[in-house]
Amino acid sequence: VSFVSVEFFLLLVITLSVLVLVPSGVGRKVVVLLTSCVFYAFWDWRFLGLLAAVTVIDFYISQELVAAKSARKRKLLLVASVATNLGLLAVFKYLGFFLDSLNALLLPLGMQLGVIRLILPIGISFYTFETLSYVIDVYRRQTQPARSLLDYAVFVTFFPRLVAGPIMRASTFLPQLAPGIQLSIDNLGLGLQLFLRGMVKKLVVADTMAIFVDQVYASPTLFSSSTVWLAAAAYSIQILCDFSGYTDMALGIGQALGIQLPENFNLPYTSQSIREFWQRWHISLSTWLRDYLYISLGGSRRSAVRTNVNLMVTMLLGGLWHGASWNFVLWGGLNGLYLVVERIFRKHARDSGEWVGPLSWLRAGLVFVVVTITWVPFRSPSYQVTIDVFKKLSFIGDRGIVWLYQPALLAVFGCLIGGFVLRTLQLRLEVFPLRRGYTFAVILAMALLVFYLSPLRSSPFIYFQF
Amino acid sequence: VSSIGLTLAIFEGILRLVVYSVAVRYSYDPSWGNQVTRGSAIHWALEGSGTTRYLVDGEVATPFLDGTSVVVVGDSHSEARQVDDDQNFISVAERQLRQSGRPVDLHNLGQNGFTVPDYIFLAPLLEQRYHPSVTVIEIWVKNFDVANTFDSSQSNHFVSTPDGSLALRHTPPKNLNTRAGNLRRSLTLVDYGLKRVDDLRSSIVERVRQLVRLRAPGESPAKAPYLAAGAAITALEVKALQDAYAGQKVVIVLLPTGPHLDDGRLVTEPPPDEAELLALLQAVPGWRVVYPADEFTHLVETGALPRGFANTVPGSGHLNVAGHRIVGTQLANALKDLIP
């Protein structure tokens, strides 16, 4: 069940109806928790137990952390939590991958270790990071522990962001939950606009790009280099609109329930450097990796070499976080490499990073090309396809079917130029209070876009697989 | 209210540009059914992009309107809304025949949704109205698909008789020349909106059925008994077509389904049912069969496919300009032998 399914709309309508009937307080939190469980059970009810176990274990560890007097006990509790969370992630997500990789290495020696195939519990990468950050923050005394198991369970399982983020800190979520789930017409209006904006991005743009990108990536050798270049660029737009569309929908549902979730994207393709790109792309993951991995490794406090190593390790693990595949490792490694190179050259550049007109357009265009090339291993279903796409992008064997998909041309140039214009004029995509007359026209326009211009078949959200 | 009105007006303009605008009026005749009246035009952008004009009642415009009469019946491939009317294979053939000194007038009677029973029903009417020197019938395998030709909701359809032969059933189609129909077609927002509602309803009903386990995902509804006898029925359908056009010079344009993309593979071989149909058609005495499969395959070497457009998947859907050019050239060559 995704946000654009019959089941989800029914679930949402029922939830909102029940919430209206239930008075604010514990009752509404219970309704939201139950909805989250039903939503998760639609994917795979068997992993509800795992989700519940992680929630309970981390809640009680956090309570013990507060109560513990000795530093040694606090450290032991932290290690227990980290080991539990990362252990589960390692077993479900990476064990099969590591065994496969090891088997490939052992094959020349005639040895094999056997194969393990486990179903990946949906959302495990996201909720594991949230529970980890919660326990670490409590350990660092940067946040107060949850007041009750119910509050903490609502935080971990909150259905708008359960399966694909944004990755949220308890310190941001729990204070909003403290007064209870607050419903209002204003919040519903704002939430509806955010939700529809997400639907436009997902259904109108991302799903239309998927028609083109899926065909080209299924067999890049069939197509001309120009077609593969366009498909690579179209994927950049697809993944942005797919993921930021999902995020907008999550933000919209959260807003309707009176909970503000963090922004995850801020015009990433207007970035003038890879460093800036990572400050604007999947912001909740980038900041998590910075705060809990990069800084824990020492950040930039040590030597230049060590800083660069820290950057590479962070980005490699960030790549691996997305999926158990060498393609993701390559993608993370490339991003790490860019950051290291930028860091070396930034020392000699007088670059303020401000948006200064045509030069910024040119820089952002170049960064878009680099990011587009880097998405190739991320999108490719196999290493061989990655190589095939790179060959086409290099104009090696460039002949093939020429397919310059018009909607892709429109989306690539439209999104880029639209983003540059917004950045130049220092504008943002806003949502408006219902009391303003044109708000209904905005809502109608987005509804019409979705109704008339979305393909009939919707693709699954890309980030749901992580 | 004004901002909502403005939004709707802007959307009507956008839809006319990127979906379609249908400035169509129909005249109704009990025998011919609904015929597009002269002066109507369709701008189509859902698949490809083209403008189709109707300069004569019931006919898609071709470059020339006088000369030796040649009638072309066919389905959406002949009506060819996806390209401009002077680019479809009938216009291409007419131009080439004119250039070769043959003053022909090809009448394009292609209509979206036509199948074999329609071609059979139309045969005597075409003879009566056009007295054609040659009749061209454009077909492809789907036109013989029993799911379409036996569909009782269609104006013309087959039924099986107790002795195993086919009988044609005709019920006059619904009159489209109504005030409500004309109003609906004048606003793309309404016309396309109603189509989208239908599509949406179907997909929601399908999903709800899956949810309540009435039917497993992907499982088709139960098939009628005659569907089991697909190949045998095709032979009977070809025989019925042969009988309907007995004594006339006939050119069959069999459109190849390939080359097309299938799961990341370029498929150039014709499907078995197409090869069987080709054999059946070639076995009919006196019929000339145009089947440009080799030319379609050669086209791939130039980086193009005969089907598909810049806004659809290559190899899928209707013929594009390159595909029409190939078919038109082949048709012109076939007609040169029949028209002195």
Side-chain angles (χ1 to χ4, degrees):
Chain A
V1 59
S2 82
F3 288 171
V4 283
S5 67
V6 178
E7 301 94 299
F8 184 76
F9 279 108
L10 282 175
L11 185 67
L12 197 59
V13 168
I14 292 168
T15 302
L16 288 173
S17 308
V18 175
L19 283 173
V20 170
L21 298 174
V22 175
S24 181
V26 174
R28 282 190 179 174
K29 290 178 187 173
V30 171
V31 172
V32 171
L33 178 62
L34 286 175
T35 302
S36 300
C37 292
V38 171
F39 176 70
Y40 197 77
F42 263 119
W43 294 98
D44 200 329
W45 58 269
R46 291 170 298 180
F47 292 118
L48 262 177
L50 183 72
L51 185 59
V54 169
T55 307
V56 172
I57 289 169
D58 283 322
F59 175 73
Y60 283 107
I61 284 181
S62 69
Q63 300 294 312
E64 286 298 311
L65 270 173
V66 175
K69 297 280 185 257
S70 77
R72 182 182 152 77
K73 187 180 178 186
R74 285 169 51 76
K75 195 160 252 178
L76 273 175
L77 286 165
L78 177 69
V79 168
S81 172
V82 171
T84 307
N85 285 296
L86 291 184
L88 288 171
L89 197 59
V91 168
F92 281 103
K93 192 161 179 173
Y94 300 109
L95 187 59
F97 167 65
F98 283 125
L99 279 176
D100 287 348
S101 303
L102 211 54
N103 281 335
L105 285 175
L106 293 173
L107 193 62
L109 305 173
M111 293 164 65
Q112 289 292 279
L113 292 172
V115 177
I116 287 179
R117 293 279 175 269
L118 293 174
I119 301 170
L120 183 69
I122 188 148
I124 190 169
S125 309
F126 290 92
Y127 69 70
T128 299
F129 270 30
E130 284 173 343
T131 52
L132 266 177
S133 66
Y134 168 70
V135 175
I136 293 170
D137 285 353
V138 172
Y139 173 79
R140 290 175 176 172
R141 295 196 173 94
Q142 288 173 349
T143 191
Q144 291 294 314
R147 291 194 303 188
S148 68
L149 181 58
L150 177 63
D151 278 16
Y152 185 64
V154 172
F155 160 64
V156 177
T157 64
F158 191 57
F159 69 96
R161 40 146 264 266
L162 175 58
V163 293
I167 299 166
M168 200 167 177
R169 311 287 170 90
S171 55
T172 316
F173 187 93
L174 292 173
Q176 295 187 66
L177 190 65
I181 302 289
Q182 306 293 331
L183 297 177
S184 72
I185 294 293
D186 282 345
N187 274 343
L188 272 175
L190 296 173
L192 178 64
Q193 288 173 71
L194 284 166
F195 194 84
L196 280 171
R197 190 168 82 190
M199 284 183 89
V200 171
K201 287 181 183 175
K202 165 64 181 162
L203 294 178
V204 179
V205 185
D207 284 352
T208 304
M209 293 305 99
I211 295 170
F212 175 53
V213 172
D214 290 354
Q215 285 284 348
V216 175
Y217 271 86
S219 189
T221 51
L222 278 180
F223 295 93
S224 67
S225 286
S226 56
T227 304
V228 175
W229 263 108
L230 182 59
Y235 182 68
S236 296
I237 303 302
Q238 183 196 347
I239 192 167
L240 170 65
C241 289
D242 191 286
F243 195 16
S244 72
Y246 157 80
T247 306
D248 284 348
M249 287 188 235
L251 260 62
I253 303 165
Q255 182 78 48
L257 298 174
I259 303 281
Q260 286 198 329
L261 304 180
E263 292 278 353
N264 226 3
F265 297 89
N266 181 15
L267 299 174
Y269 294 142
T270 64
S271 305
Q272 299 181 74
S273 65
I274 297 296
R275 182 165 173 261
E276 188 186 353
F277 174 77
W278 279 103
Q279 288 165 352
R280 293 172 171 273
W281 176 272
H282 202 173
I283 298 164
S284 64
L285 175 69
S286 307
T287 49
W288 196 99
L289 290 172
R290 182 198 64 202
D291 293 349
Y292 298 100
L293 184 58
Y294 178 69
I295 289 176
S296 299
L297 289 170
S300 56
R301 295 188 302 272
R302 299 185 187 174
S303 68
V305 174
R306 181 61 195 267
T307 301
N308 292 337
V309 169
N310 291 344
L311 267 177
M312 277 305 289
V313 169
T314 303
M315 295 313 290
L316 282 169
L317 290 176
L320 200 58
W321 173 88
H322 283 83
S325 150
W326 287 110
N327 267 356
F328 289 119
V329 177
L330 174 61
W331 173 75
L334 283 172
N335 275 292
L337 190 66
Y338 302 150
L339 290 173
V340 168
V341 170
E342 272 186 6
R343 198 180 156 72
I344 292 167
F345 283 94
R346 205 172 53 238
K347 283 181 185 169
H348 309 291
R350 289 181 196 165
D351 176 17
S352 64
E354 283 178 21
W355 191 263
V356 286
L359 187 64
S360 296
W361 285 49
L362 188 64
R363 277 186 189 150
L366 283 173
V367 169
F368 176 76
V369 172
V370 172
V371 170
T372 289
I373 293 168
T374 314
W375 282 127
V376 171
F378 192 95
R379 170 59 183 84
S380 296
S382 66
Y383 214 66
Q384 184 56 48
V385 171
T386 304
I387 291 166
D388 289 341
V389 172
F390 278 139
K391 276 184 182 170
K392 286 285 180 179
L393 295 182
S394 315
F395 295 91
I396 297 169
D398 68 329
R399 289 187 62 180
I401 298 166
V402 180
W403 181 23
L404 300 179
Y405 190 54
Q406 278 173 352
L409 287 168
L410 190 69
V412 169
F413 289 105
C415 285
L416 281 182
I417 293 170
F420 294 173
V421 169
L422 283 176
R423 191 81 193 271
T424 305
L425 301 176
Q426 297 186 317
L427 295 174
R428 283 174 59 85
L429 293 175
E430 299 282 352
V431 285
F432 308 102
L434 284 178
R435 59 181 174 277
R436 291 196 192 163
Y438 52 79
T439 305
F440 288 99
V442 171
I443 290 172
L444 177 69
M446 289 192 288
L448 289 174
L449 274 171
V450 171
F451 178 69
Y452 284 104
L453 299 182
S454 57
L456 284 173
R457 283 191 172 278
S458 179
S459 309
F461 284 99
I462 294 170
Y463 264 70
F464 276 22
Q465 63 185 298
F466 305 136
Chain B
V1 172
S2 59
S3 60
I4 286 175
L6 184 65
T7 305
L8 291 172
I10 291 170
F11 248 83
E12 175 67 21
I14 291 172
L15 291 182
R16 282 175 183 235
L17 199 67
V18 303
V19 178
Y20 61 72
S21 68
V22 187
V24 167
R25 293 284 179 275
Y26 289 96
S27 54
Y28 185 76
D29 178 282
S31 302
W32 283 87
N34 296 290
Q35 286 203 294
V36 182
T37 54
R38 69 183 69 186
S40 295
I42 295 172
H43 167 69
W44 197 256
L46 263 179
E47 181 192 9
S49 177
T51 301
T52 306
R53 297 160 303 148
Y54 297 79
L55 301 183
V56 179
D57 283 357
E59 286 184 35
V60 175
T62 55
F64 301 95
L65 297 173
D66 60 331
T68 307
S69 173
V70 174
V71 159
V72 184
V73 287
D75 59 7
S76 53
H77 289 90
S78 297
E79 192 178 14
R81 292 176 181 179
Q82 302 75 22
V83 296
D84 287 337
D85 53 38
D86 65 340
Q87 293 175 319
N88 69 43
F89 75 88
I90 296 153
S91 294
V92 170
E94 191 180 62
R95 261 198 309 274
Q96 291 190 7
L97 287 165
R98 286 269 176 163
Q99 283 164 4
S100 70
R102 294 170 178 82
V104 292
D105 177 15
L106 269 67
H107 300 279
N108 182 351
L109 300 174
Q111 192 170 315
N112 180 29
F114 269 7
T115 60
V116 173
D118 298 298
Y119 306 151
I120 292 171
F121 177 78
L122 283 174
L125 300 173
L126 296 173
E127 176 62 33
Q128 201 178 22
R129 182 185 279 188
Y130 294 99
H131 309 294
S133 299
V134 182
T135 301
V136 178
I137 306 171
E138 168 262 303
I139 51 180
W140 64 304
V141 283
K142 280 277 183 191
N143 290 154
F144 291 83
D145 187 341
V146 287
N148 299 324
T149 58
F150 280 72
D151 182 354
S152 58
S153 68
Q154 298 298 313
S155 172
N156 298 304
H157 62 274
F158 289 129
V159 291
S160 294
T161 60
D163 65 355
S165 62
L166 299 182
L168 184 72
R169 289 281 180 273
H170 171 74
T171 46
K174 203 171 99 180
N175 185 356
L176 298 176
N177 186 21
T178 61
R179 186 171 291 182
N182 290 334
L183 185 66
R184 170 184 162 161
R185 282 187 296 278
S186 65
L187 283 172
T188 308
L189 207 64
V190 177
D191 193 58
Y192 188 55
L194 290 170
K195 286 191 177 83
R196 294 286 293 187
V197 167
D198 268 354
D199 294 339
L200 207 61
R201 193 179 54 201
S202 305
S203 62
I204 289 173
V205 166
E206 177 68 16
R207 185 71 192 128
V208 170
R209 278 187 183 153
Q210 284 174 14
L211 278 176
V212 295
R213 301 276 184 247
L214 288 178
R215 197 195 306 159
E219 189 186 327
S220 305
K223 288 182 175 178
Y226 58 78
L227 290 177
I233 295 278
T234 303
L236 291 175
E237 289 174 322
V238 171
K239 178 71 171 63
L241 200 60
Q242 183 186 355
D243 293 344
Y245 289 89
Q248 295 185 37
K249 289 182 190 172
V250 172
V251 174
I252 299 286
V253 175
L254 174 59
L255 297 177
T257 45
H260 64 276
L261 300 174
D262 181 23
D263 201 17
R265 207 165 52 90
L266 183 69
V267 180
T268 52
E269 311 83 43
D273 53 351
E274 187 173 294
E276 286 166 17
L277 178 61
L278 177 63
L280 281 170
L281 294 169
Q282 286 175 329
V284 177
W287 279 9
R288 294 183 66 97
V289 179
V290 171
Y291 179 61
D294 290 341
E295 289 76 10
F296 277 13
T297 306
H298 291 149
L299 185 64
V300 179
E301 291 160 16
T302 68
L305 289 174
R307 291 173 188 271
F309 300 85
N311 54 1
T312 62
V313 176
S316 70
H318 290 87
L319 294 178
N320 53 34
V321 173
H324 275 287
R325 199 178 300 129
I326 288 172
V327 178
T329 303
Q330 296 283 307
L331 175 61
N333 290 338
L335 287 172
K336 279 175 189 168
D337 296 339
L338 299 173
I339 299 169

